[in-house]
Amino acid sequence: MSKEKFKHYLEWFLLAAAVIVFYKTFDSLHIIYDVFKMILTILTPFIVGGALAYFLYPICKKVEGILEKTKKPWVIERRLSLSVFITYFAFLLLLAILLLYLIPLTINNVMDFISKSGQYVEQFDQLVTSTFSDPKLVSFLQSTFNNFQIPFDRLLNFDVLKYAQGAINTAGVLLSWVMGIVICPYVLFERRNLMRIFDQVMGMFIDQKKISLIHYYVRKVHIIFSNFIYGKAVDSLIIGIIAYIGFSLLNLKFAFMLALIIMVTNMIPYFGPFIGGIPVVIITLIVMNPITAIWVALFIFALQQFDGLILGPAILGDSVGISPFWIIFAITLFGGLFGFLGMFLGVPLIAVIRMIILEVRDYQANPSKQKLIDDE
């Protein structure tokens, strides 16, 4: 057999082997998915610990910078350990406040609302009946708010076995989170060694210029995500506090629960205020009365205007640098794919994609930019 024929047959053999491997991969996709899911479940504590460490890293870095300015040799020498300890202690203190006060208060509000939901809906039915005389309108409003009650009825009429299984699953999740909280300071403390190990492993496959390029883009992605997440968290916390004060002044029942809804949904750009404001007004309408609901709607509208025109720009500025159209597109796309988390993280994800496209375009127009990246 000639060398050319052998090469020709070898090419066909490799192509056939590639097709078989490709087919078997998709044929066994469920097995690959199960293995991947099992690995993720095992590594959940490390994923949680890494995520917490990522959120705490900017604070830790800031504390480390402050300690470095003390000009005390023993502090400067131990600034990494001290910064991790101070940051982690502050995090545990905040967590203790949440567990001892805020979470029990939220649970009490939610359980009290659920247990009395039937009573509130019945009172609202009576109000509708006494206010409106058109039977069709009464029937429509009653059916609407009876549908609103269905989720709470399901919570009250749960299956014991399903509840037990849910409790077991919840316990497993809590255990993973507890382990993640324990792992978090170790990730913070070892972050430089982990980065060094990453560089060493990547150096086995790619050259130093490509590693520098990875560092460059990781820093840029980190800046986009951290600015957006921290800015939006501070903005939503302030809005939540103002909402709680306003709801308390309006003497709303379950004021803390309603303010929490406003705070959490405010994390979603553009749509968040509406997603949170509508259920708050509906709950107020059922629990209180139409006049109070109108005042609540006006208050939420004013709060949204304050956030959109004054507070949000002051805190966030142009942190993502994308137009409202792409923000709405990101929320719609990633929200449909990943739910609430996708609606929140979709905006910085689109900003990252935009940044990479612009960087590639600029590099193609000016290849000398690569040297600037390498020098950073």
Side-chain angles (χ1 to χ4, degrees):
M1 182 183 293
S2 66
K3 187 176 179 180
E4 289 298 324
K5 281 189 175 182
F6 176 77
K7 185 179 178 181
H8 180 71
Y9 289 135
L10 181 61
E11 288 175 352
W12 277 103
F13 172 77
L14 292 175
L15 178 61
V19 170
I20 293 171
V21 170
F22 182 80
Y23 169 76
K24 293 302 291 183
T25 298
F26 278 87
D27 188 48
S28 306
L29 203 58
H30 65 285
I31 299 175
I32 297 173
Y33 173 77
D34 290 340
V35 172
F36 182 71
K37 185 177 179 181
M38 181 184 68
I39 294 173
L40 280 182
T41 302
I42 295 171
L43 295 178
T44 296
F46 289 92
I47 296 172
V48 172
L52 289 175
Y54 175 77
F55 287 117
L56 295 178
Y57 168 73
I59 301 173
C60 190
K61 192 71 176 176
K62 182 73 70 175
V63 173
E64 188 176 348
I66 294 172
L67 294 174
E68 197 171 4
K69 295 177 182 177
T70 58
K71 298 181 180 180
K72 295 181 179 180
W74 68 273
V75 174
I76 296 175
E77 186 180 346
R78 299 171 177 83
R79 64 185 183 277
L80 176 60
S81 302
L82 289 172
S83 64
V84 172
F85 173 78
I86 292 170
T87 304
Y88 190 63
F89 178 77
F91 168 71
L92 290 180
L93 184 63
L94 178 62
L95 188 63
I97 294 172
L98 288 173
L99 292 174
L100 296 176
Y101 177 69
L102 298 181
I103 291 179
L105 180 60
T106 304
I107 292 174
N108 289 337
N109 268 217
V110 172
M111 295 306 295
D112 190 23
F113 175 66
I114 291 172
S115 63
K116 296 179 180 178
S117 62
Q119 174 187 339
Y120 291 135
V121 172
E122 184 178 347
Q123 290 175 357
F124 185 79
D125 285 345
Q126 294 174 359
L127 176 64
V128 170
T129 303
S130 61
T131 305
F132 300 98
S133 57
D134 187 348
K136 292 183 179 179
L137 179 61
V138 172
S139 176
F140 170 75
L141 292 173
Q142 287 177 342
S143 63
T144 300
F145 287 97
N146 284 336
N147 290 333
F148 180 75
Q149 185 186 2
I150 289 174
F152 304 108
D153 290 340
R154 289 176 179 171
L155 287 173
L156 294 174
N157 299 301
F158 55 80
D159 182 83
V160 175
L161 292 177
K162 289 183 179 179
Y163 178 78
Q165 184 62 44
I168 294 171
N169 294 337
T170 303
V173 172
L174 288 175
L175 179 61
S176 296
W177 273 86
V178 170
M179 293 178 64
I181 291 171
V182 173
I183 292 170
C184 172
Y186 294 97
V187 177
L188 284 171
F189 187 76
E190 292 289 333
R191 64 182 186 270
R192 290 171 184 168
N193 289 333
L194 292 172
M195 291 175 63
R196 193 177 301 114
I197 293 171
F198 172 81
D199 287 350
Q200 291 172 352
V201 173
M202 295 301 294
M204 298 168 60
F205 307 98
I206 58 178
D207 57 37
Q208 187 58 44
K209 286 187 176 180
K210 289 185 174 62
I211 294 175
S212 299
L213 189 64
I214 292 173
H215 286 181
Y216 171 78
Y217 282 108
V218 166
R219 283 196 299 270
K220 296 203 75 169
V221 170
H222 167 69
I223 290 170
I224 291 173
F225 269 85
S226 60
N227 286 348
F228 177 79
I229 291 172
Y230 271 90
K232 202 61 183 171
V234 172
D235 174 75
S236 296
L237 179 62
I238 295 172
I239 290 298
I241 293 171
I242 296 174
Y244 178 65
I245 294 171
F247 293 161
S248 298
L249 292 175
L250 289 171
N251 294 319
L252 295 191
K253 295 179 181 178
F254 317 113
F256 185 81
M257 180 186 75
L258 300 180
L260 189 64
I261 293 173
I262 294 294
M263 184 184 76
V264 172
T265 56
N266 192 70
M267 296 289 288
I268 302 172
Y270 279 84
F271 293 111
F274 298 99
I275 294 173
I278 292 173
V280 167
V281 172
I282 292 175
I283 290 172
T284 305
L285 182 62
I286 295 174
V287 173
M288 305 289 288
N289 54 69
I291 300 299
T292 305
I294 292 173
W295 280 110
V296 168
L298 292 174
F299 171 74
I300 292 175
F301 177 76
L303 187 62
Q304 291 168 357
Q305 297 305 305
F306 166 72
D307 183 33
L309 299 176
I310 300 174
L311 183 63
I315 295 176
L316 290 166
D318 191 21
S319 61
V320 291
I322 57 177
S323 67
F325 170 80
W326 289 110
I327 291 177
I328 296 172
F329 175 80
I331 293 170
T332 304
L333 175 62
F334 291 104
L337 292 174
F338 306 109
F340 180 84
L341 187 63
M343 295 178 75
F344 172 53
L345 295 180
V347 173
L349 279 172
I350 284 289
V352 167
I353 294 171
R354 173 181 177 273
M355 179 268 295
I356 293 173
I357 292 173
L358 292 178
E359 289 279 339
V360 171
R361 185 197 66 183
D362 292 345
Y363 174 70
Q364 289 176 343
N366 183 21
S368 62
K369 185 179 179 182
Q370 178 65 48
K371 187 176 184 307
L372 298 175
I373 293 173
D374 294 337
D375 293 338
E376 287 192 12

